[in-house]
Amino acid sequence: MSRVVLATFWNGMVGMWERNELPFDFHRRSKWINASQFYKLLVEPLDIADYYRMEKHREKGHYIENGRERRYRVFDRWWRERSKGKKSSSKRNNFAGLTQDSCFWARVEEVKESVEMAKKETEPMKLGAVLERISKFEKYAGELIESKEVSRDVLAANSSYSKWLQEWTALKPRFQQLINNSKS
């Protein structure tokens, strides 16, 4: 219920901003940028979980392209504009309290489906494209983990990510062998 109330509030704020009913620099004020970013990092993973739990991805497609609310895209734009020219030189010593990519879990769901596709794919060209997507995510996730931009729950033993990584680590040598065989 709180997610619905907060979504209504933020949709209203974005609407007012787009209709120029708020101060011209509203989207540049730290108070609102930080509040919207915190909201996005906290609530969007819950929206993603709900999207996949309700199996909306089967009828609409994956969350990032087909299910993501416009307000989150607006908040991303505000955050990027705020961060332009600012280079963070400080390294994290501890894992983030909230995963800094609010769409991380949607990316995990997409890559899980890619692994299932790879298991079934017989055409080398299509398999290569699927494996490239998986490899890009593996690299991206590794960089997030190394820079501690994820919360500890990402690395929990039974998290979707840990289960995917375990499955992918076991399957990867088989796919490498298939790729090498198709090249020779």
Side-chain angles (χ1 to χ4, degrees), residues 108-172:
V108 169
E109 292 298 325
E110 288 181 21
V111 80
K112 283 170 48 181
E113 187 173 283
S114 293
V115 168
E116 292 305 313
M117 287 170 57
K119 288 181 193 176
K120 297 172 187 169
E121 189 57 62
T122 56
E123 190 178 313
M125 291 293 287
K126 288 182 180 177
L127 178 60
V130 171
L131 294 176
E132 186 173 328
R133 279 197 310 265
I134 295 169
S135 179
K136 281 182 182 177
F137 173 77
E138 182 181 29
K139 182 178 185 228
Y140 172 74
E143 289 170 355
L144 279 181
I145 291 166
E146 186 177 319
S147 63
K148 298 186 177 185
E149 296 286 314
V150 297
S151 59
R152 289 190 179 279
D153 59 333
V154 168
L155 302 173
N158 288 324
S159 75
S160 297
Y161 174 76
S162 293
K163 287 178 179 179
W164 168 80
L165 186 59
Q166 185 177 22
E167 179 184 16
W168 176 238
T169 302
L171 290 172
K172 194 173 180 179

Side-chain angles (χ1 to χ4, degrees), residues 10-64:
W10 283 108
N11 283 340
M13 294 300 282
V14 168
M16 290 170 62
W17 173 71
E18 288 174 335
R19 291 186 305 271
N20 295 318
E21 295 173 0
L22 296 171
F24 75 97
D25 65 343
F26 172 82
H27 66 290
R28 292 188 184 103
R29 293 183 182 179
S30 292
K31 174 183 175 178
W32 292 104
I33 293 172
N34 292 333
S36 66
Q37 179 71 358
F38 182 72
Y39 164 77
K40 182 181 70 146
L41 294 177
L42 187 64
V43 176
E44 190 168 21
L46 300 174
D47 289 347
I48 292 166
D50 189 56
Y51 187 84
Y52 284 95
R53 183 180 59 81
M54 302 297 284
E55 296 192 351
K56 291 180 182 174
H57 65 291
R58 300 215 186 279
E59 62 185 62
K60 294 181 177 180
H62 283 289
Y63 176 83
I64 295 172

